[in-house]
Amino acid sequence: MKPFTVKQFIFRLLRPVPMPVIAIMIGLLTGLAVWAALDQVQGRMISKIANNELNTQLKLRSSESLVRFDRYLSNYAATTRLLANHRRLAEYLDPLVWLPDEPFEPLIYRDTPPPWLPDIFARYELPAPSHILLLDGTGAVREIYQNRGAPLPADLANEIRSQLTRPDGVRTLVVPVGGKPYLVIGDLIEDSEGFPMGSLVLAVPIDADFLTASQQVVWPERIVVALVAGDNQRIVASVDPKTLPVGTNLEIWRHDYLITSQPIAQQDAAEWDLRFATFLSQASVDRMTRHMRAFEWRQRGITAVVFIFVFTLLIYLVSARLNKVLKRMSRFAHRALGIAQPGFQRGSNQLLLLEDWIQQFTQLVLKARQEMSRRYEHEMRETEALKAAIMEASLDSVVTIDGRGRIIEFNATAAQALGLRRERDIGRAFAAGSVTATDRILFNGLLDDSRRARHEGREPHVHGEIAAVRHDGKAMPVELSIVPIDVDEGTFYTLYMHDITERLEAEREIKSLARIANESPNPILRVGAGQIVFANRASRPLLRAWGIDVGGRLPAQWTAEVDEALAEGATREHETLIGGQVYALLFTPIRELGYVNIYGRDITAVRRAEQEARQHQGELVHVCRLSTLGEVATGMAHELNQPLSAIVNFANGASRRIQGGSVDPQQLIQAMTQITTQAERASEIIRRLRALVAKQPPIRSEADLNYLVREVCSFVEFDADRLDVAIVLETAPGRIPVNVDLVQIEQVLLNLVRNALDALADLPATERRIRIRTRVNTDEADVEIEDNGPGIEPTQMNRLFEPFYTTKESGMGMGLPISRTILDDHDGRIWAESRPGVGTIFHVILPIIATPQEPADSGT
Ligand code: ADP
């Protein structure tokens, strides 16, 4: 097994992980990384900014504190001025006289405030001073108010004496008293008269209360203010002595506090270097920084979360898009390359799948390309071999020539047909040896055409017909195709020559055949798509009569005929009278070409001859009938005799009775009725006879074949009686409707019955029998006339229907041939079957008219 690279290993691990999960993972990691990087940079920056900001703020605040402190001191100075100039003090001083040399004891107020001191401090919310002194002009303390009970410290007294015993007497000082700072303010005093008395001095210890009151503000942060001695950096007053005890060195607090110090505005001639310091505890700095950091962390957290969300969403969208692309590609691949669907599932890693799939796809394409090029080469080789084989096997002569017309190669057919020999003819000019002198210019022209067409970018394959020189030196017409081929050496030309000797002969043959139609004395036309495409010379009378020419349209009647002939695919024939001539038109369809050939024939003469023949035949039939009737007439006359005799008898009887006087009218009427009946019978017999004798044109009418048969039987009744022949009649039930010439069909039947009677003449009277039967077979009627006469010898059977064939002394031999002609005219048939010594049956077949059958009615 191949060892995995780390990348492959990671890919394997990631393969089943869905894209959204990876998106979230990447989003998280990136978010964290961004967050951490920001933390590194921003944390430091923020601390720096916070410190700077804090320092600035602190400086600002300490300046503000100092300003407040200074203003507070000024307030004291103002209050001192107010006290010094107060009316109550002036009035108090009015009666007093302080003599410089006079010994005195300073007046001390301990518990009660002096009368000259108004209650002013509480009103201005200033801490009351510890001591308020009245000094005389020499600076000696005359009165002293010990506000807090304590006597005036000696140091303070000295400081006041040294600092304030000056003529102006107005000063504001901060002086150290036992290491503690005191605010000392002096102002001049006068009595009501404006007499200067000395000065008023206030002494206020600057302690925690003082400092707190001076600030009048509660800092949100724990800011502590203190006064520090400039020389030794010790704290001399503190707003919070518990935290920052007085007396401690400033330096020891530097670790826990952020400290700023500024010099207090210099007092007049003050020797004490005091500084105003503000302390901000490191803990509160840290807390503030922590707050800021926490806030910044939160911001950064939100940024990271947003980052993760956006990133995840982005990757998710990309992955969804990839899914789609992958699906589409997979479907495409499935259809186009037939490769299986890559393992695409919703829960797997589409990106990696896509990569895999693209790799697979690329390999497939590469493989397909290799396969195609392999196949192409193979096919090329095969094609080359095939081409060579085809060329060799071609029945056409193939010769390749170079640009100058010299033979380079040729196939076996060319060698044989043109008598080319490799050792002799390769390199020889083709036209000189293998094209007839007359066609060389034509050949060179064709070659030039091909060259020019190629040059001009047209189809360079050129065709033509020339005469090549055959192996035996004779000219051979060929169809020539010139196909140029590009090779390294330039352009070669392949000449394909197809021997068209046979084709030209066939064409000549066809042309000569085509002349036949033209030369035919009968009209020949060809119709395609209703138009006359060809008409020979003989069809001019037809075209004239139709009023058209070649290319014109046939009259509608014949167009329909042409269409039907094409549709049926069968030949049709029609007669037409054109210009007094009768033409038979034969429509012969050629379905595969969509043509119909019309062959016309002038049949005027034929029809005329037929007409004449028919006339002759009619006459013949009539003559024949008369001859038959001659025989019948004897019987008829006898038959006629009967009613006539009966009439005579009845008439004689009637006249006898009238003459005898015994006239019974009833009997007379009876006799008259008999006479009438007999007369009608005679009249009927005569009518029939006349009908048969009369020469009348053939008329077709509908008749009942059974009726005709019965009537014929009645004609021969007398002869039959005479000969003692029993005629048995068996008719088919109902009518047998036929469309016939009544007289002619009766003539046929009469002839047959008469022949049967003749045949029975030599038989003993008791044995003579004729049976006449009618039958219906689908659409035909069959009349059988059967006798039990001597029959007909088989050798004679064929001759029966020949004219003038007879075995009778008085016979004409025309009965049967005329009967056949009549039946042919009626689309019927007649034939005989006979067994010598047994009898003969004649059959007469006639087509039936299709009419509804009537109810059964059989007769015998
Ligand atoms: P004809 O009756 O004038 O001879 P036909 O044409 O009617 O002329 O008959 C031709 C011949 O056919 C008859 O002479 C006879 O020899 C033969 N023939 C016709 N009918 C019969 C029949 N029923 N039996 C025997 N011979 C017959």
Side-chain angles (χ1 to χ4, degrees), residues 627 631 751-752 754-760 785 787 789-792 796 799-802 804-808 810-819 834 839-842:
S627 118
E631 291 161 32
N751 185 50
L752 292 176
R754 276 223 49 84
N755 280 349
L757 287 172
D758 288 347
L760 293 174
I785 293 137
D787 65 65
I792 304 160
Q796 305 304 314
R799 303 194 56 203
L800 283 185
F801 293 94
E802 280 177 14
F804 308 115
Y805 170 75
T806 181
T807 55
K808 301 170 193 167
S810 59
M812 270 177 70
M814 282 307 289
L816 289 178
I818 283 176
S819 294
S834 179
T840 308
I841 305 176
F842 273 86

Side-chain angles (χ1 to χ4, degrees), residues 446 449-451 453-455 457-462 482-484 493:
L446 288 172
D449 279 352
S450 175
R451 234 178 245 136
R454 189 180 180 67
H455 190 66
R458 285 185 284 117
E459 171 62 49
H461 296 186
V462 183
I482 302 177
V483 180
Y493 298 86

Side-chain angles (χ1 to χ4, degrees), residues 12 22 74 90 113 115 124 204 228-229 232-234 239 242 363-364 454 482 599 604 682 716 830:
R12 287 223 157 191
I22 289 193
S74 306
Y124 290 109
V204 191
V228 178
N232 57 10
Q233 295 288 303
R234 277 181 194 286
V239 93
K242 274 193 208 118
Q363 271 166 10
L364 269 170
R454 189 180 180 67
I482 302 177
Y599 300 99
T604 318
V716 291
I830 178 168

Side-chain angles (χ1 to χ4, degrees), residues 428 430-443 466-469 497:
R428 171 176 71 72
F430 173 76
S434 300
V435 179
T436 56
T438 45
D439 280 1
R440 255 169 236 159
I441 295 173
L442 179 63
F443 171 78
I466 60 162
V469 179
M497 284 161 288

